[in-house]
Amino acid sequence: MSIKRFFAVLVLILAAPVQAGVDIQHWQTPEGARVFFVESHELPILDISVDFRAGSARDPVDKSGLARLTHALLDQGAGGLSDTEIAHRLADVGAVLGGNFDRDRAGVTLRTLSSMAEKTAALDTLVRVLQQPDFPLAVMQRERRRLISSIREAEADPGTVAEKAFYRALYADHPYARDENGVPGNLEKLTRNDVSAFYRAHYGAPNAVISLIGAISRSEAEAIATRLAEGLPAAASLADLPLPVAATASTVRFAHPSTQSHVLMGAVGVARSDPDYFPLFVGNYALGGGGFDSRLMREVRDKRGFAYSAYSYFLPMLQAGPFQLGLQTKLEQTDEAMEVARSTLQQFIAEGPSEAELVQAKANLTGGFPLRIDSNKKILEYLAVIGFYNLPLDYLETWTDKVNAVDTAAVRQAFARHLDPERLVTVVVGAEGAR
């Protein structure tokens, strides 16, 4: 299969019509991997995602960066194939191997044509990557140097400095406080045995969610899922992460030679399973998630010109993820901008959105929902989220109804339950930050 033909197929994917509904089938392999499948024959494509509870929150305290390094090495030598041979095998059949990594998840994705020869070759490579990573020592040393270099380079970015400081201030000793990429000093001490042991403990079937969408039958999906799961390490199901403790109010300032102040404030928010998810999600659109439609933008940018943009969001995770409000502003007006943002948040928590703000938020969210599932790739991402966070199978079918069911009272009550304006953590990074 030529690369030219493969890209021609991608053009068809981008032009594919919005799917009217998403019928999600679910089962579990004998090894304990949970499988989520959507049969779709509109295009000759198969997309697969395999996610594990192997994000940076699983790093041992003194080995920060181990999870990231392990994930980075999966496709850098497997089953006797070098990283170059893996890349060539995939390119020869027009397949694309990808991945994702955050504090909760470490995942591998595959996009392949669904024709037998190409699909078989691509799946053979995916199986090797997931089940037989070689972790070559020379490649490990190379990837470690690359990772350390990227961490040190990021230290020059005030936004990255603020983000890392924010998580440390918010989560203290909780695993969510650890940097996703790790710490150079810890990375330098990691051994190949550390990587192999982490892989064997975290990449087992009981910790895996396999998501599939494409032009295959249910029986073929079952066969593929079984093949992917049966050769994974015999790892036990991992225990849940500890519950985060709400942080006490604090303001941390870091001096940095940036031309603007980077301000982040927030609190420990909610887990993805929290029943207040939709009132918080819809309400936050009115507060700071709706761009130029949001209250923060009106107060901070439009009325006072303190910043080009201001935003807020909840990031629900397996355990309570952060609520974050952020802006960048001129050094000399940092404190004024912070006060406006803080008072805007306080008023929103106390009073909730206006009826007009809520109507606009719901209209924009539900109006844009079809675009969230207008391609197989986007649906695959939702399948992985639904599986990993144990959301109901009708999540996509009922999403619009749940958004429309939110009223101003529900938003006000949900924000009051989860955000205390007297317990906000604030991080300021800038040339005036050390004052």
Side-chain angles (χ1 to χ4, degrees), residues 54 59 65-75 101 133 135 147 190 194-200 203:
D59 276 341
L66 178 57
R68 169 68 89 177
L69 184 60
T70 304
H71 177 255
L73 289 171
L74 289 177
D75 64 348
F101 184 88
F135 304 124
L147 190 53
L190 295 179
D194 290 329
V195 173
S196 296
F198 186 89
Y199 165 75
R200 291 195 301 272
Y203 283 78

Side-chain angles (χ1 to χ4, degrees), residues 361-375:
K362 291 196 290 188
N364 287 343
L365 288 169
T366 56
F369 180 70
L371 297 178
R372 292 171 178 259
I373 55 171
D374 65 353
S375 70

